[in-house]
Amino acid sequence: MLPQDIRLIAIDIDGTLLNPQKQISPRTRAAIRAAREAGITVTLATARRYLSTGSIATELGLDIPIVLYDGALILDHPDGHVLHTNLLQAEIAQQVVDVLVEYNVQPVIHHFTNQVEETWTGPEDFDNEDVAKYFAYLPEINIIRRFQHATCCMGQPDPLRIVAFTTEDRVMKLVPAISSLHCAWNITPLGSYQTAELAIMHKTCSKASGVEALARHLGITMQQVMAIGDNNNDIEMLQAAGWGVAMGQAPEAVKAVAHAVTASNAEDGVALAIERYVLERQAASNSRSR
């Protein structure tokens, strides 16, 4: 059954909104603009930080809260006001750090403190090639704080999440130990930093929980949400939305939970989904009303 009343569109960024050249295509930009002009709220739901998301929201002309860090933080754009957080308890975060260190993986701990994004981590001599790739991508204004591993989280404020940047083989070895802890996690086999990623968050945290919190704030039901994504961390969001759309290049596990599959991010998949499931249906509904 096709969606009847979409009022909120939540779009993943990497592999979804952005094409393989890391750009927003003219057709996708036009479809988003048309949806907004039709009175539909469009937001971003991403694993990214605000430092690398805010400029994209500005490029699209969005003035709406956006879902960051896989749902752990929702910030109003462009003023940066915190709408919602779902933090990982410090005690559990320290247990995660201990597991990562046991497997020789440097923990990357994300905080949002006094309107500033910070990256906390362990001693520099524990960095490996994979985490070094991530640090190399960080903007110069990023704040990196280093601690001894035993005090990375214990006695510290609750973080947004912890991420392991390492090989896919090592990520899979980590999963049993991480699964035994009271937390949620997702795996990206090859992320934006050309490494595998294991993100660990609060037990109830996901992009789905973030979009649900935003929808409640806007007075919109999840049945009125269309979500578009391409990777494992989008699965819960696609399931929770009234209309979940997987990108054409998404893994089969992602496609399997979606209500529909659009074209790939190289073929304007986001634009096609908005045109078909929102704009065309809205135009048909308006025509019948007349």
Side-chain angles (χ1 to χ4, degrees):
M1 183 176 178
L2 292 175
Q4 298 299 315
D5 181 27
I6 297 300
R7 294 180 56 198
L8 172 64
I9 304 173
I11 309 172
D12 169 54
I13 294 179
D14 296 290
T16 302
L17 175 69
L18 301 184
N19 63 22
Q21 291 74 45
K22 301 296 183 182
Q23 298 172 336
I24 305 172
S25 74
R27 184 174 179 180
T28 295
R29 193 188 313 274
I32 290 172
R33 182 172 60 250
R36 296 181 67 232
E37 289 173 351
I40 296 160
T41 300
V42 179
T43 191
L44 304 174
T46 179
R48 286 185 177 217
R49 305 141 50 82
Y50 187 58
L51 277 173
S52 59
T53 303
S55 59
I56 295 173
T58 298
E59 182 181 350
L60 291 171
L62 303 185
D63 51 356
I64 188 73
I66 51 181
V67 180
L68 305 158
Y69 294 94
D70 282 330
L73 176 67
I74 302 177
L75 286 186
D76 203 356
H77 180 77
D79 65 16
H81 172 73
V82 176
L83 176 67
H84 172 81
T85 59
N86 194 355
L87 305 178
L88 179 63
Q89 303 96 315
E91 180 180 354
I92 296 172
Q94 186 62 51
Q95 294 171 5
V96 172
V97 168
D98 294 342
V99 169
L100 298 187
V101 171
E102 181 183 348
Y103 284 82
N104 294 311
V105 175
Q106 181 75 288
V108 174
I109 306 152
H110 290 137
H111 285 268
F112 190 76
T113 307
N114 298 323
Q115 302 299 112
V116 176
E117 290 175 296
E118 296 185 356
T119 299
W120 294 15
T121 190
E124 189 171 1
D125 60 10
F126 202 75
D127 290 355
N128 55 30
E129 180 181 353
D130 298 303
V131 78
K133 293 176 184 176
Y134 170 72
F135 290 144
Y137 275 92
L138 294 182
E140 292 182 1
I141 60 174
N142 180 74
I143 296 174
I144 299 178
R145 299 180 61 187
R146 291 188 180 271
F147 298 82
Q148 294 301 311
H149 286 131
T151 58
C152 275
C153 297
M154 189 59 69
Q156 306 284 11
D158 295 343
L160 294 166
R161 66 174 182 186
I162 298 176
V163 184
F165 297 91
T166 184
T167 64
E168 185 175 2
D169 178 64
R170 186 162 293 180
V171 163
M172 299 313 296
K173 290 178 180 177
L174 280 165
V175 165
I178 295 297
S179 297
S180 69
L181 304 178
H182 193 69
C183 61
W185 53 269
N186 62 65
I187 295 172
T188 303
L190 183 64
S192 301
Y193 308 101
Q194 304 307 305
T195 73
E197 301 174 16
L198 174 63
I200 302 104
M201 302 154 295
H202 186 277
K203 185 69 175 177
T204 64
C205 186
S206 67
K207 286 189 184 182
S209 69
V211 172
E212 286 170 356
L214 176 56
R216 282 196 304 273
H217 173 73
L218 298 173
I220 295 171
T221 71
M222 286 302 289
Q223 280 301 309
Q224 296 171 308
V225 174
M226 180 170 82
I228 314 174
D230 77 304
N231 219 320
N232 296 336
N233 62 339
D234 297 309
I235 287 176
E236 293 94 342
M237 179 175 72
L238 299 185
Q239 290 174 314
W243 195 253
V245 181
M247 298 298 290
Q249 83 284 358
E252 290 303 316
V254 178
K255 293 178 180 179
V257 304
H259 297 89
V261 177
T262 187
S264 74
N265 67 325
E267 303 166 304
D268 290 319
V270 167
L272 287 166
I274 294 173
E275 291 164 1
R276 179 177 181 184
Y277 302 120
V278 179
L279 299 178
E280 290 179 8
R281 295 187 65 77
Q282 188 175 72
S285 176
N286 291 342
S287 177
R288 286 194 299 270
S289 296
R290 289 194 296 269

